[in-house]
Amino acid sequence: MTTIDLGLPQLGGLDGVPTAEDTQTAKDFASDQEVRWCPGCGDYAVLAAVRQFLPTLGIKRENTVFVSGIGCSSRFPYYLNTYGMHSIHGRAPAIATGLAVTRPDLSVWVVTGDGDALSIGGNHLIHALRRNVNLKILLFNNRIYGLTKGQYSPTSEVGKVTKSTPLGSVDHPFNPVSLALGAEATFVGRALDSDRAGLTAVLGAAAAHRGTALVEIFQDCPIFNDGAFDVLRKGDEAAERLIHLTHGEPIRFGPAAEDGPGAYAVVQEGFGLRVAKTDEVDPSQVVVHDAGDHELAFALSRLSDQDLTHTVIGIFRDVARTTYDDATRAQVDHERKTRTPNLQGLLNGRDTWTVAG
Amino acid sequence: MTSSDTAVDQPTEQVIKKDRVVIRFAGDSGDGMQLTGDRFTSATAAFGNDLSTLPNFPAEIRAPAGTLPGVSSFQLHFANYDILTPGDRPDVLVAMNPAALKANVADLPAGGVLVVNTDEFTKRNLTKVGYAADPLQDDTLTEQYQVHPVAMATLTRGALAGTGLSKKDAERSKNMFALGLLSWMYHRPHEGTERFLREKFARRPDIAEANILAFRAGHAYGETTEAFAVTYEVAPARLDVGTYRQITGNTALSYGIIAAGQLSGLPVFLGSYPITPASDILHELSKHKAFGVTTFQAEDEISGVGSALGAAFGGALGVTTTSGPGVALKSETIGLAVTLELPLLIIDVQRGGPSTGLPTKTEQADLLQAMFGRNGEAPVPIIAPRSPADCFDAALEAVRIAVTYRTPVMLLSDGSLANGSEPWKVPSVDTLTSIDPGFATEPNAPDGTDEFWPYLRDSDTLARPWAVPGTKGLEHRIGGLEKADGRGSISYDPDNHDRMVRLRAAKIDGIRVPDVTVDDPSGDAELLVVGWGSTFGPIGAGARRVRALGREVATAHLRHLNPLPANLGDVLARYRTVVVPEMNLGQLSMLLRARYLVDAKSYTKVSGLPFKAEELQDLFLRLLDGVQP
């Protein structure tokens, strides 16, 4: 068999989606449904950020679709005045794949949680990532099952005491960024629910990316896992833990150093990375972030441990690879151009015989 | 069959005319018996006989050579009249090795023709299947059958000497030798087979020529050897006027889906995970992208149906194909499709169950799974084709219902329909009725506002509007949570849920399906036989036999299992005795008894093989004589 040279051009994530005629606002994207998350839930912050962000894409609202699974975060589509489907547990990436493959004129978003995406829906997640379907997956990670009232999740830390683990969880958690990178994702980012600017920046890059983009959003569950990410939110402690990535920039963080921002730096050690004090290493040793470097992205994902001592946020990886949906459509288009569909011919086949009267 | 056997004067050989013949090719899985059967079938179709086939093969791709589990067979029934089944018992058995002989010879009636490849009858091969002595060397077979021992491998090797092929490669063509011999015996045209071989082995012309040489050698062997004094003629059948082709059930389903896409103007999206015996539909559809067909080989069964449902949300004709185990995995998504009220076609090519069961054998035991296998009240229309060619019409009908009523539809085929074949009177495309997707384009709020109510129903069909993303002003959210009647927003209201459950049920119950027709030639029958799916053939053939004996029996076949035809209750009530033969433990009879309070008797078989006409004839006669089954 010969493969067809599809000759696919490099496209942006929103190419093919019709642009809006009028300026749209966050209000246009709010549905008439009353938002029913618990007071203090991190989902409110993400919803507000997304409502602010969507109009900036400049695409038609009716060509925007949010598909979700099951869980607190999966109520998200009800609160956006776009097309939406609140589906079943873990299956949103599969449903969104069928939609994205058949409708290149849509911007398709998946909203999921740590249980939905990484436990019951793990298979669909990894296959969507490796296929590189033009989908944007927002993975709300609160490291707990909220809607079922407080069982540990696949991202809960070992030893976590929950309703189903009274003596502490013995289950080793996933690192969602490592998992996504291992599943051949072409775009992986991470953001914090309360960091509007950082979240919006990652969402913008995800939207512009053609292919599956996974954005892990650390999100607080005030009822069952309150304050899980507080150490990343407040003051000097947070600054010493949060490592912001900027493509092409040396990776430095923490309080200001004498030579500029970042008393700490990420340096290479063996096949991995370690954190060092900036003034104790030669500047040439400081790793410069490259979102096209797969090994670097993976090493950065391993800096983040369960206890959040160091937490890398921003865009780990952003590389171009032909998307499954573009390649699939290109095959169909090629066949449509080179073969004239003839239904009667198909039904007759090559070996007919005629019975005469 | 013997009644019209008449010798025709021929100088070199005796030609006997027959009304019908059943041939079974049997050999090792690696012997190419399915290909041999297929080619004989094509030649028979081209000749103009009516025909019906039953491939029967193990689930293993290559079971240990020469063993009983490795036996693969292909049975073909062809006739000069319209026939209904692949035949109960072969008139001719071709056995390529001792295992094939042992596994099949019991089905050969006394006096039958037995053609045996003697080269495989070695001590080792005989021992492998438990023959203490070579049955070809004593009288056990010759006493009962017309035995033709032929050293097929040796003869094939001899015919291919000089081609430069190795001994092993040359022997691989022995199935074509067998085909050539049988083609001579039954006066089959051979141009088609030679053309086929040249195309199949276009990249290995030496192999193509070797197969053609072997095929011709088999033909010549029959012609010149005195061992075969007789050939047989089966005249073409008198079928309705029209253009015909041979087709299998899986191909007919594939073409039905493509045609439904063309008739509705919808792009077809198939989401599917490979599973026996449904995979051929995925293979076939993947070849026809020019018709706007997209195939997606999903990571699992759930993704197969999920992606199809996602495509349906976007306005495509969403289809998923599977077998019973796959339906079990898809159940939750089918339930979602029920509550989303989106068109979706689910094809279940049933096989032996439970669990992995008998992947390559046939069964009808998924009816209740299709009917009830979901949480909550989740009704789904069910359609079952009755024959391989009927799969085309059944697929069109299933899509028509799915699109018209915005509902998932279950189509229940089975392994015997999927792989079996028969002549199909190809419809003229102009005569096929178009399917109107009727997409919503405008707000529909009854209060005249510019709102869109996704669950405001059509008063006639109770179908909801299908508004696809990209339609301005109709932005809406749907999901698995209960929705408010009309407006479609989330609702936990008790009365609303009660109303929505009943509305969904009423929509499916109200689907208009044709009345069931009863075949009761005299109108005086007291016994009614009700069938569904692939039992159509054996029931019809059994009834013909009973009528030929001067007895009366009525038959009714159900294409629609949900909803059932409106006149069915009246039909059942008209007969003193109702019997339902099924390849399960009585699933349809349970539904009929519950629904109509009728004493529908159940007659069941779950052997992985279709009913035989003979056993149903016996059943009907017993019932007519007042003997309970």
Side-chain angles (χ1 to χ4, degrees), chain B residues 340-394:
Chain B
L340 294 184
E341 303 191 41
L342 283 171
L344 181 68
L345 175 59
I346 303 119
I347 293 179
D348 175 2
V349 185
Q350 300 166 97
R351 66 190 215 186
S355 188
T356 308
L358 300 172
T360 58
K361 310 297 178 192
T362 195
E363 206 163 281
Q364 299 182 292
D366 293 348
L367 175 58
L368 294 183
Q369 177 177 232
M371 192 78 189
F372 301 118
R374 291 163 295 281
N375 63 304
E377 296 287 356
V380 166
I382 304 167
I383 288 176
R386 67 186 201 183
S387 72
D390 186 45
C391 286
F392 179 83
D393 293 326

Side-chain angles (χ1 to χ4, degrees), chain A:
Chain A
M1 289 297 289
T2 51
T3 48
I4 299 163
D5 178 9
L6 302 172
L8 295 176
Q10 280 304 319
L11 296 170
L14 295 170
D15 285 349
V17 183
T19 51
E21 284 143 18
D22 306 318
T23 308
Q24 299 170 123
T25 65
K27 213 176 149 197
D28 294 326
F29 279 85
S31 74
D32 60 359
Q33 296 294 299
E34 180 195 355
V35 183
R36 291 189 199 160
W37 287 308
C38 306
C41 177
D43 291 354
Y44 282 100
V46 184
L47 178 63
V50 169
R51 282 177 175 172
Q52 281 285 342
F53 160 75
L54 286 174
T56 67
L57 295 177
I59 56 170
K60 286 189 170 174
R61 182 161 53 86
E62 63 268 26
N63 287 72
T64 310
V65 184
F66 276 75
V67 182
S68 64
I70 292 294
C72 294
S73 58
S74 287
R75 300 293 176 95
F76 208 88
Y78 287 117
Y79 308 135
L80 289 172
N81 192 13
T82 64
Y83 281 88
M85 187 196 294
H86 175 216
S87 76
I88 44 177
H89 210 11
R91 315 304 171 202
I95 291 167
T97 293
L99 184 61
V101 169
T102 48
R103 293 291 305 270
D105 60 327
L106 303 179
S107 176
V108 182
W109 297 72
V110 168
V111 177
T112 182
D114 39 318
D116 193 59
L118 300 172
S119 203
I120 195 167
N123 201 35
H124 308 306
L125 179 75
I126 59 175
H127 287 280
L129 292 171
R130 87 171 159 81
R131 284 193 188 103
N132 201 30
V133 184
N134 196 19
L135 300 174
K136 315 304 153 198
I137 302 175
L138 310 185
L139 196 170
F140 291 39
N141 182 8
N142 57 16
R143 306 177 82 175
I144 197 76
Y145 282 107
L147 198 63
T148 52
K149 300 190 168 60
Q151 301 82 15
Y152 77 99
S153 88
T155 55
S156 296
E157 51 283 19
V158 170
K160 190 168 195 72
V161 173
T162 71
K163 279 187 182 157
S164 59
T165 52
L167 301 182
S169 167
V170 296
D171 228 345
H172 188 80
F174 270 139
N175 176 326
V177 171
S178 299
L179 180 83
L181 291 167
E184 307 289 338
T186 53
F187 183 104
V188 186
R190 182 189 278 153
L192 195 56
D193 55 1
S194 52
D195 175 13
R196 169 78 62 98
L199 174 59
T200 303
V202 176
L203 292 178
H209 175 78
R210 193 150 189 101
T212 311
L214 181 100
V215 181
E216 182 191 13
I217 303 170
F218 286 151
Q219 170 252 325
D220 201 45
C221 173
I223 307 299
F224 297 109
N225 202 14
D226 191 22
F229 301 104
D230 278 1
V231 293
L232 303 179
R233 299 181 202 281
K234 292 167 194 159
D236 292 347
E237 193 188 19
E240 296 207 352
R241 290 168 183 263
L242 277 178
I243 305 173
H244 291 270
L245 297 176
T246 307
H247 179 68
E249 297 286 325
I251 306 174
R252 289 173 59 173
F253 64 102
E258 279 180 20
D259 68 338
Y264 300 99
V266 173
V267 298
Q268 193 155 359
E269 185 177 70
F271 290 107
L273 302 174
R274 73 176 169 91
V275 170
K277 286 191 171 159
T278 309
D279 56 12
E280 291 175 2
V281 294
D282 188 274
S284 67
Q285 286 181 271
V286 177
V287 172
V288 175
H289 184 46
D290 177 359
D293 184 334
H294 189 267
E295 286 68 33
L296 174 63
F298 192 79
L300 285 168
S301 79
R302 305 313 293 171
L303 279 176
S304 304
D305 205 358
Q306 290 183 51
D307 63 4
L308 308 175
T309 305
H310 294 117
T311 300
V312 182
I313 61 170
I315 297 160
F316 289 74
R317 186 163 202 240
D318 184 359
V319 296
R321 190 175 84 219
T322 302
T323 69
Y324 177 88
D325 45 318
D326 282 330
T328 298
R329 287 188 298 264
Q331 283 192 343
V332 172
D333 290 347
H334 176 268
E335 292 291 288
R336 295 186 81 140
K337 277 185 202 135
T338 53
R339 295 178 189 217
T340 311
N342 172 357
L343 185 58
Q344 191 69 61
L346 173 76
L347 302 189
N348 286 349
R350 280 188 296 182
D351 289 314
T352 55
W353 70 93
T354 304
V355 174

Side-chain angles (χ1 to χ4, degrees), chain B residues 568-622:
Chain B
L568 182 59
D570 292 341
V571 166
L572 295 173
R574 286 211 299 268
Y575 291 87
R576 176 180 299 193
T577 308
V578 175
V579 67
V580 186
E582 293 178 85
M583 296 187 289
N584 56 46
L585 293 185
Q587 300 192 4
L588 176 62
S589 73
M590 178 195 278
L591 292 177
L592 297 182
R593 293 172 77 94
R595 172 79 186 269
Y596 301 106
L597 293 177
V598 62
D599 181 22
K601 298 182 192 313
S602 180
Y603 180 76
T604 62
K605 176 168 113 167
V606 278
S607 64
L609 291 167
F611 285 111
K612 293 183 185 339
E614 185 182 352
E615 70 180 303
L616 293 183
Q617 171 194 351
D618 291 348
L619 167 73
F620 305 159
L621 290 174
R622 285 203 307 276

